[in-house]
Amino acid sequence: MPAQDNYEAAASARGTEKFAEFSDDRKGIVSRFQNQLHATPALVPLIVLVAALVVFGLLLGSKFFSPFALTLILQQVQIVGIVAAAQSLVILTAGIDLSVGAIMVLSSVVMGTFTFRYGLPAPVSIVCGIGVGAAIGALNGWLVARMKLPPFIVTLGMWQIVLATNFLYSANETIRAQDIEAEAPLLQFFATKISVGGAIFTYGVIFMVLLVVVLAYVLRQTAWGRHVYAVGDDPEAAELSGVNVKGTLISVYMLAGIICAFAGWALIGRIGSVSPTSGQLANIESITAVVIGGISLFGGRGSIMGTLFGALIVGVFTLGLRLLGADAQWTYLLIGVLIIAAVAVDQWIRKVAA
């Protein structure tokens, strides 16, 4: 018996020793940093954003670090930021929505034509435009959730359908800014400016920030938000846990459509007119902001605040390089590098959960 006791004690000591070695290895600086990034997905884009601000601030000085320049960045990214918020919801479910830009433009066209072609009051036209966005989003969600079709294929097809509908319905006619200002100024509501010192904010910028803050709270603090993450992480496990996976997917795509419709309303204010040819790059720009913002394309991980940081990073690079007199192609080159780097970092961070 004593010999057996000694053997067990030695085995226990060896097991404890191995466990201690494993724990010490995991407490390295790199591992702790990796875990911190996994726990706070928005940290990476925030670091990149701050670094970009510092670099361009040192290169350009007060020319860049002025209230006007910094708020100009916000004005330039407001449309992308709103659309990217919609895209974030879809990508969190491990999907993708290539129709967001087309939904945005068609919604704005509906708002304009219902007012000027059919004579409806502007508030009614705006509600109709938002309804169109909601209906298209719900259809996307139904095809993905109920028909089990791949999100990429569904939204690629919907992008073509909505784009064609937009041009056929509008007859490629643009409603001029002068007419909107004279007869339906509510359509340009998001262009209303507020001056704070030397900074100029628009209602569109304020709406973008409030939208991101509200969505961040909903995703983290409500059951629906936790269901969105659960569906993106593992839909089968989520369904076994009692989550209504199909209902969650439909609601996500529908909400994305509604947000895109609001982006269409903000677009009218941004460009001043209702144009069926505007916002052609919104799809790519929204995905760019989401990826740079640290939301995983595999779903289930990321922060919508990171998406806002991602949109701001693009805006900072665009304005900074323009003020430096660099060719516009350098902007695309650096953004392309950031996209690939962001995906590589996401893969590295995901190893924590593996």
Side-chain angles (χ1 to χ4, degrees):
M1 291 296 292
Q4 184 177 356
D5 291 341
N6 292 336
Y7 175 81
E8 291 177 353
S12 177
R14 286 195 300 271
T16 304
E17 186 179 347
K18 289 181 180 179
F19 180 79
E21 290 174 0
F22 177 79
S23 296
D24 288 338
D25 181 63
R26 293 295 293 176
K27 288 181 180 179
I29 295 176
V30 175
S31 295
R32 280 183 289 178
F33 182 61
Q34 189 179 15
N35 277 279
Q36 184 61 43
L37 294 181
H38 185 269
T40 314
L43 190 58
V44 174
L46 178 59
I47 293 172
V48 174
L49 176 61
V50 172
L53 288 171
V54 170
V55 169
F56 284 116
L58 292 174
L59 292 174
L60 296 167
S62 59
K63 189 178 180 181
F64 182 80
F65 268 134
S66 66
F68 174 77
L70 295 178
T71 52
L72 179 61
I73 294 172
L74 287 170
Q75 292 182 40
Q76 290 177 337
V77 304
Q78 61 179 300
I79 305 301
V80 174
I82 296 171
V83 177
Q87 188 73 261
S88 297
L89 295 175
V90 176
I91 290 181
L92 281 173
T93 64
I96 196 167
D97 193 341
L98 299 178
S99 66
V100 287
I103 295 174
M104 174 185 71
V105 178
L106 180 59
S107 298
S108 69
V109 168
V110 168
M111 294 175 188
T113 55
F114 275 35
T115 301
F116 288 90
R117 185 183 297 177
Y118 306 126
L120 293 177
V124 176
S125 300
I126 290 169
V127 171
C128 291
I130 294 172
V132 168
I136 298 173
L139 180 57
N140 279 338
W142 183 81
L143 291 172
V144 171
R146 298 289 182 181
M147 301 299 292
K148 303 292 185 182
L149 299 179
F152 181 88
I153 300 301
V154 168
T155 57
L156 177 64
M158 191 60 68
W159 168 54
Q160 298 283 358
I161 293 170
V162 175
L163 196 64
T165 302
N166 168 44
F167 287 124
L168 291 171
Y169 175 70
S170 65
N172 285 341
E173 295 178 356
T174 298
I175 301 174
R176 300 182 305 170
Q178 299 92 320
D179 296 332
I180 296 175
E181 291 175 3
E183 300 180 39
L186 184 62
L187 293 178
Q188 295 180 340
F189 170 77
F190 284 108
T192 306
K193 295 180 179 179
I194 300 176
S195 180
V196 181
I200 300 176
F201 298 93
T202 63
Y203 283 173
V205 169
I206 296 172
F207 175 78
M208 175 189 68
V209 174
L210 289 177
L211 174 66
V212 170
V213 170
V214 170
L215 288 177
Y217 173 82
V218 170
L219 286 170
R220 290 298 181 184
Q221 302 298 328
T222 68
W224 180 83
R226 290 189 289 271
H227 291 172
V228 170
Y229 279 100
V231 169
D233 187 49
D234 191 333
E236 288 79 14
E239 191 165 13
L240 291 173
S241 300
V243 175
N244 184 354
V245 174
K246 294 178 181 178
T248 301
L249 283 172
I250 293 174
S251 66
V252 163
Y253 281 89
M254 182 175 178
L255 180 57
I258 292 172
I259 294 173
C260 289
F262 274 98
W265 186 9
L267 181 65
I268 298 174
R270 176 64 183 160
I271 66 176
S273 60
V274 176
S275 173
T277 60
S278 59
Q280 297 298 317
L281 297 177
N283 296 339
I284 300 301
E285 290 174 343
S286 68
I287 297 172
T288 298
V290 172
V291 173
I292 295 177
I295 292 183
S296 175
L297 290 173
F298 299 98
R301 197 190 70 81
S303 167
I304 201 164
M305 290 300 298
T307 295
L308 177 59
F309 297 149
L312 290 174
I313 288 169
V314 175
V316 167
F317 272 93
T318 302
L319 180 62
L321 291 173
R322 186 182 302 166
L323 292 175
L324 286 172
D327 191 290
Q329 301 306 319
W330 282 103
T331 304
Y332 295 114
L333 187 150
L334 290 175
I335 291 174
V337 171
L338 282 175
I339 291 173
I340 296 173
V343 175
V345 170
D346 174 63
Q347 290 289 317
W348 178 66
I349 293 174
R350 285 175 67 88
K351 293 179 181 178
V352 175

